[in-house]
Amino acid sequence: MFKFEKYLLSRIPVGFSNGLRNIKILCEVLGSPQKSFESIHIAGTNGKGSTAFYLANILQAHGASTGLFTSPHLVSVRERIRINGKMISQSELNDVISQVERAAKVAKIEPSYFETLTAAAFLWFKQNNILVAVLEAGLGGRLDSTRIARGKFAAITSIGLDHTELLGDTEEEILKEKLGIVKKNAILVLGDLPRALLAQCPPYEKAKKISPELQVGNFGKIYVKNAEIAWTVAQEFLDSTFNEKKARAVLKNAVWPGRMQMLKNFILDGAHNPDAAEILAQCLEEKKLGPLPCIFASLTDKDTEGVLRALKPHISVCHPVQVENPRARSVEEILEICEKLKIKTTTENFKNKTPILVTGSLYIVGKVIAELCGEAVDLTEF
């Protein structure tokens, strides 16, 4: 085990830091690395990871040295921190985490897991003299650790009911939290938000409808829409240097792993809330896939019944599994929900069935990827 892994594990019990005090202090001790590059923030209930990924691909195709910070990871924590598509190495992550650990001791604070990784990403980006960082908000926006980075551009992909215990019980409350990521006078790009929510937003750019339609490596129209958001942000950021041909070419082969991804005999998608499950269902309908055998896992703080209800027409038989996570739902709990919804279940492994849908949680998606591709998987090689 690398030293950084031990320290990160010690950060998990700290939980969620409800404020920006720790990350501000950490970065001050580290020399304010977040001030050394431009930042573009991507927030939203669903779609923010793929949008950030597509945007980073467009920017680096234009020759901009581009950092990308996303969460969660599927197999390795190194996936979260990348420059020009390449993950941070084990030794580099060990070095920056060690510096964050020392800074925390100097400041006499106990940073969370996410605060630690955010500070480490900022530090690595500074060390490598990047031009711009595309930052996916971890949770919400107003109190998200990435918020302390400076940035004149932001995007909100979608609004739905998720993490309600922290962000609020209504879409209006959740939008308010996510808008907190947007700096004063920043250019804001929005995805398809309900008209009632648009009225609450500051001046914004709607994602431009690209004709003919863009192509991306993930399948499903929703990913084309996310690429359109990325396209619009890139146009605003690059201005006169934006090259449509370069943008189209790089998006065509851009695959955001674990989301509507075909990998060997599996369809992988980490749909973990009802909105994401509805999107998955739409994508399966578009491809005329299903009903499919499904390996399914979920966490106790997720609306598992809502997810399974949305996916019911597309599941021929469900094989529930329990992931290695303190919040994981048990197989028995998932079986009870399936019985309530009249979804056929099995506890036997699928044999000679293809394709197999893997969904309900990014944890189970990551486990399947690790078993298929190995623990040291590089997302750029998918």
Side-chain angles (χ1 to χ4, degrees), residues 54-66 84 131 230-231 234-235 237-251:
Y54 296 149
L55 174 58
N57 273 262
I58 295 173
L59 296 179
Q60 61 207 38
H62 283 77
S65 181
T66 306
N84 294 336
L131 172 68
W231 179 285
Q235 280 186 316
F237 182 84
L238 294 167
D239 199 17
S240 61
T241 64
F242 180 82
N243 184 297
E244 181 175 322
K245 186 175 180 179
K246 286 181 180 179
R248 285 188 182 277
V250 74
L251 285 175

Side-chain angles (χ1 to χ4, degrees), residues 8 34 54 61 100 143 148 187 238 253 271 319 355 381:
L8 282 176
Q34 77 282 5
Y54 296 149
V100 173
L143 300 177
I148 69 166
I187 294 173
L238 294 167
N253 297 312
H319 176 77
E381 297 177 357

Side-chain angles (χ1 to χ4, degrees), residues 95-162:
D95 176 62
V96 289
I97 291 290
S98 294
Q99 292 184 61
V100 173
E101 181 181 6
R102 289 194 294 272
K105 288 179 180 177
V106 169
K108 298 180 180 180
I109 58 174
E110 294 289 338
S112 69
Y113 184 95
F114 189 74
E115 288 168 336
T116 300
L117 284 173
T118 303
F122 290 165
L123 190 57
W124 191 56
F125 292 160
K126 178 182 179 180
Q127 291 173 353
N128 286 274
N129 299 311
I130 67 165
L131 172 68
V132 57
V134 180
L135 307 173
E136 177 189 359
L139 181 64
R142 182 176 62 91
L143 300 177
D144 191 79
S145 296
T146 63
R147 183 173 179 260
I148 69 166
R150 62 176 188 165
K152 299 177 182 177
F153 303 87
I156 296 178
T157 57
S158 65
I159 296 295
L161 297 179
D162 197 15

Side-chain angles (χ1 to χ4, degrees), residues 11-19 112 114-115 139 143-144 166-167:
R11 300 298 88 205
I12 293 175
V14 174
F16 175 72
S17 294
N18 191 23
S112 69
F114 189 74
E115 288 168 336
L139 181 64
L143 300 177
D144 191 79
L166 296 171
L167 303 180

Side-chain angles (χ1 to χ4, degrees), residues 336-351:
E336 286 180 10
I337 295 171
C338 286
E339 183 179 1
K340 177 181 177 181
L341 296 174
K342 295 182 170 53
I343 295 174
K344 184 180 176 182
T345 59
T346 182
T347 54
E348 301 293 325
N349 290 330
F350 297 126
K351 293 181 180 179

Side-chain angles (χ1 to χ4, degrees), residues 262-282:
M262 298 287 292
L263 186 62
K264 298 187 179 179
N265 294 329
F266 296 88
I267 298 173
L268 308 174
D269 191 83
H272 61 277
N273 58 51
D275 284 348
E278 290 282 358
I279 291 169
L280 169 56
Q282 291 170 13

